[in-house]
Amino acid sequence: MDDKVGRNDPCPCGSGKKYKKCCLLKKGSKRNDFKDLYWHTYRIRLKGKRDIEGIKKTGELVLELLQLVKDEIKPGISTDDINTLVHEFTIKNNAISAPLHYRGFPKSVCVSVNEVVCHGIPGKRILKDGDIVNVDVTPILHGYYADANQTFFVGSPSSEAQKIVRVARESLKIGRSMVCPGNTIGDIGWAIQKYAEGEGCSVVREFVGHGVGFEFHEPPEVPHYGKKGKGIRLIPGMVFTIEPMINLGRKDVVILEDNWTVVTADGSLSAQFEQTLVVTNNGYESLTPFDL
């Protein structure tokens, strides 16, 4: 991993000053020691080669889980059927489902149908022809977490369903394209917001991407809206998710009485795609790669 920053480059701490006028002075001769700098400044734990390989291995299980779900999605199955599928396959592969009992969450996977933005609790709801359903999986394998989700069509989708899924998918793709050393977290959100709003959709503000790998949720937060050039500067070894929640209607959301399920305030459809990414020397690598 090459973490070198020139004296006249913008300081990675995000101060807006040149490196030589900021953290170079604080760090003295250890000018390339960004691991300590990012930990002490942001509580971001940069991942080394061994860590990245561990997260990537968990990411392989993520992809198997999503493919398993995709193959079984059809009208007539319940959201709890999906939970059972994910839970049993995770255990079979000697892994743990991170969502289960996380802050009281009662199931092993989030299943969000139609107007449900995120954190849908699997239960008796039966999937119907024309529904869209997001399935969000996060297994833990050998101590490493990987996180991804996809939105699937159930049967034959409406034109509205096709649009929101297309925009959500493209939003992740556009967000990924902004990930490279020297860019900022704000660049990611700015690009997603510009695209999604340009398509007549809206971006949820209350729920964001996040660091991941050693824990389920780590710093930094990765908003899917924002201003270009603002926020923490990206450097190699950062691992985080991009997971834009895109609404067909307004951006406003409501949390239901179960304190988990998030729905669009206007009842409009919402879709989401998510991947876990690592910043590399020249750009990024998806540790949960699926086609977009």
Side-chain angles (χ1 to χ4, degrees), residues 38-101:
Y38 269 57
W39 168 248
H40 290 300
T41 306
Y42 306 116
R43 287 296 185 260
I44 293 173
R45 290 186 285 180
L46 300 180
K47 277 68 174 179
K49 182 177 180 180
R50 180 179 178 181
D51 302 321
I52 293 166
E53 287 303 314
I55 300 167
K56 185 184 296 185
K57 190 69 176 177
T58 309
E60 293 174 4
L61 178 56
V62 167
L63 298 180
E64 290 183 62
L65 285 164
L66 289 173
Q67 185 61 51
L68 186 67
V69 170
K70 181 179 180 180
D71 291 343
E72 293 297 322
I73 290 286
K74 60 182 179 294
I77 70 168
S78 72
T79 55
D80 204 41
D81 290 335
I82 296 172
N83 180 77
T84 299
L85 198 66
V86 170
H87 181 76
E88 292 182 350
F89 191 79
T90 300
I91 292 174
K92 181 180 177 181
N93 284 273
N94 301 310
I96 300 168
S97 293
L100 184 61
H101 306 313

Side-chain angles (χ1 to χ4, degrees), residues 52-248:
I52 293 166
E53 287 303 314
I55 300 167
K56 185 184 296 185
K57 190 69 176 177
T58 309
E60 293 174 4
L61 178 56
V62 167
L63 298 180
E64 290 183 62
L65 285 164
L66 289 173
Q67 185 61 51
L68 186 67
V69 170
K70 181 179 180 180
D71 291 343
E72 293 297 322
I73 290 286
K74 60 182 179 294
I77 70 168
S78 72
T79 55
D80 204 41
D81 290 335
I82 296 172
N83 180 77
T84 299
L85 198 66
V86 170
H87 181 76
E88 292 182 350
F89 191 79
T90 300
I91 292 174
K92 181 180 177 181
N93 284 273
N94 301 310
I96 300 168
S97 293
L100 184 61
H101 306 313
Y102 177 77
R103 297 182 179 177
F105 191 80
K107 296 290 184 173
S108 294
V109 61
C110 295
V111 182
S112 304
V113 184
N114 294 339
E115 77 285 353
V116 180
V117 175
C118 60
H119 303 161
I121 300 174
K124 296 180 180 179
R125 184 169 184 172
I126 301 297
L127 298 183
K128 304 187 303 294
D129 183 69
D131 284 343
I132 60 173
V133 57
N134 179 272
V135 179
D136 192 338
V137 299
T138 311
I140 313 166
L141 184 64
H142 305 309
Y144 290 106
Y145 295 70
D147 193 1
N149 72 55
Q150 295 182 25
T151 300
F152 303 102
F153 295 125
V154 183
S156 302
S158 66
S159 58
E160 287 189 338
Q162 291 181 55
K163 175 180 178 178
I164 194 60
V165 170
R166 173 182 61 80
V167 174
R169 188 191 302 272
E170 190 66 19
S171 291
L172 172 55
K173 188 174 181 180
I174 287 172
R176 288 192 323 184
S177 73
M178 302 304 292
V179 178
C180 66
N183 277 4
T184 68
I185 285 178
D187 293 337
I188 299 170
W190 167 81
I192 292 170
Q193 182 181 7
K194 181 180 179 183
Y195 166 73
E197 292 180 354
E199 291 290 317
C201 298
S202 62
V203 180
V204 172
R205 304 301 204 262
E206 288 85 352
F207 301 93
V208 298
H210 54 86
V212 69
F214 298 145
E215 298 178 21
F216 197 170
H217 297 97
E218 308 173 15
E221 291 191 343
V222 184
H224 306 112
Y225 61 95
K227 295 183 178 180
K228 193 173 184 180
K230 298 295 183 180
I232 298 170
R233 196 165 297 279
L234 304 180
I235 63 171
M238 292 175 69
V239 175
F240 52 81
T241 69
I242 300 178
E243 48 184 297
M245 284 144 273
I246 308 299
N247 295 347
L248 194 60

Side-chain angles (χ1 to χ4, degrees), residues 242-256:
I242 300 178
E243 48 184 297
M245 284 144 273
I246 308 299
N247 295 347
L248 194 60
R250 301 196 313 271
K251 67 179 184 298
D252 310 276
V253 299
V254 175
I255 301 176
L256 300 186

Side-chain angles (χ1 to χ4, degrees), residues 254-273:
V254 175
I255 301 176
L256 300 186
E257 290 182 359
D258 61 22
N259 293 320
W260 281 106
T261 308
V262 181
V263 300
T264 56
D266 59 8
S268 63
L269 294 176
S270 184
Q272 180 187 19
F273 288 84

